[in-house]
Structure formats: C-alpha cells, structure tokens
Amino acid sequence: MPSRYYIFAAAVVAFFTSVALEFTVMAYYFTWPLIAITGFLAVVGLIDITQTKQAIRRNYPILAHFRFFFEYIRPEMRQYFIESDHEAAPFSRAARSLVYQRAKQDSDKRPFGTQLDVYAVGYEWMNHSILPAKVASADFRLCIGGASSMAYSASVFNISAMSFGALSANAIRALNQGAKAGNFAHDTGEGSISRYHREHGGDLIWELGSGYFGCRTVNGRFDPVRFAEQAQDPQVKMVELKLSQGAKPGHGGLLPGPKVTFEIAAARGVAVGVDCVSPARHSVFSTPIEMLEFIALMRELSGGKPAGIKLAIGHPWEFFALAKAMVKTGITPDFIVVDGSEGGTGAAPVEFADHVGVPMREALLLVHNTLVGVGLRDRIKLGASGKIVSAFDIATAMAMGADWCNSARGFMFALGCIQAQVCHTGTCPTGVTTQDALRQRALVVPTKADRVKQFHQSTLHALAELIEAAGLTHPNQLRPEHIIRRISSTEVTSLATLYKFLKPGELLSDTSSHKVFAYYWQRAQAESFALAA
C-alpha cells in the first residue's frame, strides 16, 4: 500500500478496533468518542477516494484536507491568489488561481480594483475606446494553409506541445476530449501520437522532433512511409517540425530506459526499456534550403496539410538564413510557432531554463519583422507560446505580431496541476505527469475534459470582452499601439514606439534602420546556417 494511504488505512483499522472494544467485555468509556472520530475520518477518506472532482483528494485521502485548510487560512491565497513578490515570481499563484476559476466556471470577478502596482516599471495595460464594439462570437478563428483544400480553421487559443510520456495517459485523454468538445487543437508534442490521443478524436497537430518518433527506422532515421501513414489520418490537421523548445533549446532530451513502457514504446516506435534519445539536432537536413525542402516533403506526404516549424529563437542570423532561403527557393512553411525561452512545462537543466534562448516577445518580434521585411508575412501564420495563460497574455502576443497562441501550463492547471514540481520523478500528486497507474487514476477524464473546455471558452470570452472594450471585433485587429507599458515612474509608451517594426519588403532594399539586421542580415546566407566570412 502506498504511504499516502496510511492515514486512511489507520482510521479504518482504528474504527473497527474501537467498535470491537465497545461490544466486548473490554469496553471502555472512551470508545464512543473514538468510534465517532475514527468513523468520521474513515468516511472522509472513503469519500475522498471515490469522488471524481479533485485528483489530489483521490491520491491523498484525508491528508489533502490539511493542504486545503492551510491554503484557506493564508490571506493572500483566499479567492484570488496574490504574490507579494510579483516581479520575482512572474508566473504567480494568481495566474494558477485564475485558471482554476475559469476551468470550474467559478466567478473570476474581483473587488477593490487592481492589486498590481500600476506605477511599477514594466506594468502593462490595454487602452479602451470611447466607442466599444460588439463581438458576435468569441469563437475566434484563423485559416492556416492558405487556399489549399486541406487548410485548417484553427482557434486562436490551442493546447501547446506536451508529449505522452511526459504527461499521463489520463491527462492526454482529458486534453484531447476537451479539445474535441471545444473545437480547438491539441499539439502532440514530439512523443508522437499515442492511442490516448485517438480515443476522443480531437484535432491534432503532430509535432515531429529530432527523434522522428512515430515515423522512424530501426536506427532512428526518418521513415517517409510511416510518416505518410500517420500524417494522412483525418484527425491530424497539421504537421509541425520541431527545431527547439523554450525550456531547453539546443539541448535534446533523454527518456531513461526504465521509463520507456510498452505504451510509450508503441507510440514512439522505440524498444521497451531502452533509453529513448531525442538528439540535439536533426539528421535529415543541415542547411536552410534542405530544411525547407524537408518541410515541403512533410506537406506532400501528409496529403497537402499545413506544414510548419516550431522553434525557440537563438542566433538571429540563423533565422535570417532561413528567410533568405525562403526567398531564394519560393518554399515557405504554412506556419511558424515561436516558443519563448521562458516557456516549458517539463524538467530542464537550470542554466538552460534560465539563461538560454530568446524570450517570447523578442523572439516573436524578430520572426515577425523578418517575414515582413522580406515580404512573406502574408504567406506564413505565426503562433506564440511561452507562459501564456490569460486573455491579456493572448492580446499582447497578438498585438506583437502573433496570429494565434498556444498554452501548455494553462491547460495543465485546468487538469488540476498544483505545480508540485515533481514532474520528472513520476510522483505527481494529481496524476498529470506520472505513468503510475494508481496515481493517474485520480485524474478523472470526463471531469477534467470539461474543465479543459471551460478554461478555453472562458478565456476566449474574456478576450472578446477585452477587444470589445478596445473598439475592435477580432483579436487579429490588435496592433502594438493598443498595449501600453510603463518604462519609468514618470514615463509610459506603447509597444509601437518601444519596439522597432519593419515595413513590408524593407529588408530587400535597406537594413540600416534596425541594428540587429544591419549587423547580421548581409552575412546570413541561404546555403548555410553559419555567418558568411
């Protein structure tokens, strides 16, 4: 029996022992109070194990109530969680509490105005209009893939990449069932498509990493036949080549052999019990042109479905080289997902998590500006991910150039994640990131799927209210001038003046107006990711 059940088991044993004492010649005057106390605890534990709404109570009967009690008596954690050191912990308890409220369809209203320091450097807000607009529907969508018959009508808010193996089977089931019910997309992560992704038929974005899981040969190379078989499944709406991720860009990954179960091995196409390696770099290309040719091959093998890339930006000249290759070959991805270095729900080395890669806004701006500067922005849709949870997060990213946003931890919170930060140990208390069958049993799929759908709907409803207040009718009308930032105690400015935005085609004639482009653009080359001498 797991140790977390000891208190419940002790309560049950004590109850029956005290009852036996009462009805024998050894009866004592204290047995009735003992029967009452232990009986109450036993009933509480039994209810905890059998209820389906709170995973932590199912995994920690009786004990979970101590956690709830201590949360309740902490003033800053009642109703709406507030971090006293907001800048030190930017992804605060307040954000997690907001997700819980929206996922459960509790009221997210709050009295007494803002609880943030509006005079703190970095504080941001959206200006409103004297003439607010009226939005007919909060189901905001965009078309990815142009005029192709396989183009995908996507929501502006989707589930970001999280693999089966990193997440439990029940977590994958709940995410996909919620995506199906809410009509939005579920990115598989590089762990490929498991049978749990297929149970409920929710739209999938199949992410293909450097391990080519789900379409690899026995020696780990890309297998075009297996790729075509998977990609042409009607449930797969888009295919995505993963170059890097925000949590640990340029690092690669390893799933130790003991964690490679039969089900994980079946989904990834690897051997059971053998270390599952995601190399730091791809083996199917080594130049920008070769990469674009591979993306074109992915599109062809999938039957014409939108094909794109996901990356965390590192050396700017490497993306410039990719853009030059697009201009030279005429091959463009249908979409690019920009992952910020601040993102990532899985475990990563501390130095990589904190100090490698470009943060989401700067990365998004670099990609947006580059595509605008070479006249290709209208052909390529941009997604953004990296600690995006609230409607204001979405609005800000779209004002900076994104066409849609992905969220990982927001949907993990909707599943019941409490940020115990033991994801890599297999002991997740809520069943979200464990392969332990008993622990993940606590995550009841229908209940959590409803919360995934409700979080998505409530967040888009909040986004609709924001853009109505700004006098707009769709978030794709948001521009950098709609978002204002405090840059000192006495100065504020819009993102439009804070950042440099290029004009269409500007890079084809002049690079002097932006120092990053002025320094690196001319030395970037379509034939190589390295700078020209």
Side-chain angles (χ1 to χ4, degrees):
M1 177 188 296
S3 59
R4 61 186 185 274
Y5 292 134
Y6 284 174
I7 290 181
F8 172 53
V12 173
V13 171
F15 171 71
F16 283 109
T17 301
S18 58
V19 169
L21 288 173
E22 177 62 29
F23 293 100
T24 66
V25 295
M26 299 175 63
Y28 295 98
Y29 70 91
F30 61 80
T31 53
W32 277 110
L34 188 60
I35 289 172
I37 294 171
T38 57
F40 172 76
L41 290 175
V43 170
V44 168
L46 183 62
I47 293 172
D48 287 343
I49 286 178
T50 56
Q51 58 83 37
T52 61
K53 293 187 178 297
Q54 292 178 300
I56 195 167
R57 285 173 58 199
R58 286 169 67 86
N59 267 337
Y60 295 86
I62 301 176
L63 278 172
H65 294 277
F66 289 94
R67 175 183 182 270
F68 298 147
F69 172 73
F70 288 121
E71 282 189 353
Y72 179 78
I73 64 174
R74 288 181 62 184
E76 76 275 16
M77 297 180 73
R78 293 183 62 179
Q79 180 62 25
Y80 197 89
F81 294 56
I82 306 165
E83 289 284 359
S84 58
D85 55 340
H86 185 268
E87 290 186 352
F91 207 85
S92 62
R93 295 188 184 98
R96 190 169 77 235
S97 180
L98 179 64
V99 175
Y100 291 165
Q101 289 169 331
R102 289 181 171 167
K104 297 176 183 179
Q105 291 194 319
D106 293 340
S107 173
D108 61 358
K109 304 300 186 288
R110 184 180 63 190
F112 296 109
T114 179
Q115 294 174 346
L116 299 175
D117 183 358
V118 299
Y119 295 103
V121 174
Y123 173 73
E124 292 181 340
W125 68 91
M126 178 186 291
N127 280 344
H128 65 282
S129 171
I130 290 176
L131 300 174
K134 181 61 178 177
V135 172
S137 169
D139 183 24
F140 303 119
R141 310 196 75 79
L142 72 152
C143 180
I144 305 175
S148 167
S149 61
M150 301 298 287
Y152 179 52
S153 175
S155 170
V156 300
F157 189 43
N158 301 288
I159 301 171
S160 195
M162 294 180 285
S163 300
F164 170 58
L167 298 190
S168 69
N170 278 3
I172 295 294
R173 286 180 172 121
L175 288 172
N176 196 257
Q177 185 176 347
K180 175 69 173 178
N183 193 24
F184 55 100
H186 178 193
D187 194 310
T188 66
E190 67 175 310
S192 192
I193 307 170
S194 70
R195 66 186 182 92
Y196 305 111
H197 288 93
R198 300 188 186 279
E199 285 185 13
H200 300 287
D203 291 353
L204 293 178
I205 300 170
W206 182 19
E207 182 179 275
L208 188 66
S210 56
Y212 309 115
F213 299 130
C215 60
R216 55 189 269 143
T217 63
V218 292
N219 61 354
R221 304 288 293 186
F222 175 72
D223 185 335
V225 175
R226 296 190 66 189
F227 176 84
E229 291 172 352
Q230 293 254 49
Q232 291 180 23
D233 187 306
Q235 190 180 350
V236 175
K237 303 302 180 183
M238 302 198 298
V239 288
E240 174 183 276
L241 179 67
K242 173 195 166 184
L243 305 179
S244 52
Q245 60 179 323
K248 45 184 177 180
H251 185 273
L254 170 69
L255 188 64
K259 292 186 177 181
V260 182
T261 64
F262 174 81
E263 291 178 319
I264 291 173
R268 300 192 179 200
V270 298
V272 177
V274 177
D275 288 351
C276 182
V277 179
S278 298
R281 59 182 291 173
H282 280 266
S283 60
V284 292
F285 61 83
S286 59
T287 70
I289 291 176
E290 289 176 353
M291 181 195 294
L292 292 176
E293 290 172 344
F294 184 69
I295 292 169
L297 177 63
M298 290 172 61
R299 184 187 294 123
E300 177 186 348
L301 293 174
S302 69
K305 293 178 181 179
I309 61 176
K310 168 192 164 182
L311 79 166
I313 293 295
H315 298 314
W317 61 83
E318 293 181 343
F319 189 77
F320 297 165
L322 187 59
K324 285 189 171 183
M326 294 179 200
V327 173
K328 183 172 184 177
T329 65
I331 303 171
T332 56
D334 295 296
F335 64 91
I336 297 174
V337 176
V338 180
D339 200 8
S341 64
E342 68 271 42
T345 53
V350 172
E351 289 81 3
F352 275 79
D354 290 343
H355 300 292
V356 179
V358 179
M360 189 268 287
R361 289 193 186 182
E362 285 73 18
L364 177 62
L365 183 63
L366 180 85
V367 172
H368 173 74
N369 264 341
T370 304
L371 296 178
V372 169
V374 295
L376 294 176
R377 181 63 181 86
D378 60 337
R379 291 174 55 177
I380 302 170
K381 300 297 184 184
L382 290 186
S385 63
K387 289 190 174 179
I388 291 174
V389 167
S390 72
F392 184 72
D393 296 335
I394 298 172
T396 303
M398 294 186 74
M400 290 283 292
D403 294 299
W404 88 90
C405 293
N406 294 335
S407 176
R409 72 190 66 206
F411 286 100
M412 285 182 71
F413 292 158
L415 291 175
C417 170
I418 60 172
Q419 279 189 299
Q421 297 187 327
V422 291
C423 311
H424 56 301
T425 67
T427 59
C428 173
T430 57
V432 176
T433 63
T434 178
Q435 301 306 309
D436 184 314
L438 187 59
R439 284 182 179 273
Q440 66 174 288
R441 167 191 168 276
L443 195 159
V444 179
V445 173
T447 299
K448 299 306 183 184
D450 282 343
R451 292 185 179 177
V452 167
K453 180 190 73 173
Q454 287 161 188
F455 168 59
H456 177 266
Q457 290 180 338
S458 297
T459 303
L460 288 188
H461 176 73
L463 179 62
E465 291 184 322
L466 281 179
I467 66 167
E468 283 180 336
L472 310 174
T473 56
H474 194 284
N476 63 13
Q477 297 169 337
L478 286 164
R479 297 293 180 266
E481 57 266 23
H482 289 114
I483 308 297
I484 313 299
R485 182 188 298 176
R486 180 172 294 284
I487 58 175
S488 77
S489 60
T490 59
E491 296 175 288
V492 301
T493 187
S494 73
L495 299 187
T497 56
L498 186 63
Y499 294 102
K500 170 67 177 178
F501 289 86
L502 299 188
K503 298 176 182 178
E506 184 174 342
L507 288 177
L508 301 178
S509 59
D510 178 26
T511 61
S512 62
S513 62
H514 193 298
K515 60 183 180 182
V516 174
F517 290 97
Y519 193 76
Y520 294 120
W521 178 259
Q522 297 301 332
R523 296 176 62 196
Q525 47 190 336
E527 295 76 19
S528 172
F529 285 110
L531 282 173

